[in-house]
Amino acid sequence: MLGLGTWEFNVDTMFYRGKVLLIVKDKDGAYDLDIDIVGMDSTPPFAVNTMQLEGNTISGMAQTDLLKGKEIPYSITFDGDTAAGFLKIPFMGKINLKNGVRVG
């Protein structure tokens, strides 16, 4: 499976500047994604609604209770032990996940 492990990304937005961890897990042969925003007491819960794998990219749609009824497109491209991607969060815009490295 592509990208299994913990990945650390740099994020720079007007609301948050710091590190975000993306945890890619194997859940009975399917992908499971978790996000941890470093330095926040709790990361808002989210659910991955759709996911597709094309080449070395995982993309799809997610949702969070904080933005009821809104979808969050995401895409993460893996290249060995590095990765990059984005989230498009309603009302905030595109959040780039930069300089991703495997940390676990």
Side-chain angles (χ1 to χ4, degrees):
M1 293 183 82
L2 177 68
L4 294 179
T6 301
W7 298 82
E8 182 180 87
F9 295 92
N10 295 314
V11 173
D12 187 2
T13 71
M14 61 189 283
F15 300 106
Y16 175 79
R17 179 175 293 138
K19 306 242 182 248
V20 171
L21 297 178
L22 172 69
I23 302 97
V24 182
K25 300 181 277 188
D26 176 357
K27 186 176 183 182
D28 299 325
Y31 284 100
D32 189 26
L33 303 177
D34 282 325
I35 292 179
D36 183 23
I37 302 171
V38 177
M40 290 188 83
D41 292 334
S42 66
T43 300
F46 75 99
V48 174
N49 294 339
T50 63
M51 182 181 298
Q52 49 270 358
L53 177 64
E54 186 174 322
N56 59 347
T57 299
I58 297 173
S59 61
M61 297 287 184
Q63 285 186 311
T64 179
D65 288 343
L66 295 176
L67 298 168
K68 290 196 183 295
K70 302 291 184 190
E71 290 195 317
I72 302 168
Y74 67 89
S75 179
I76 309 292
T77 300
F78 300 94
D79 184 13
D81 286 335
T82 62
F86 67 86
L87 304 165
K88 287 186 182 175
I89 299 179
F91 312 113
M92 289 182 63
K94 186 176 182 179
I95 297 176
N96 290 309
L97 302 172
K98 300 178 188 176
N99 306 318
V101 294
R102 187 189 309 259
V103 295

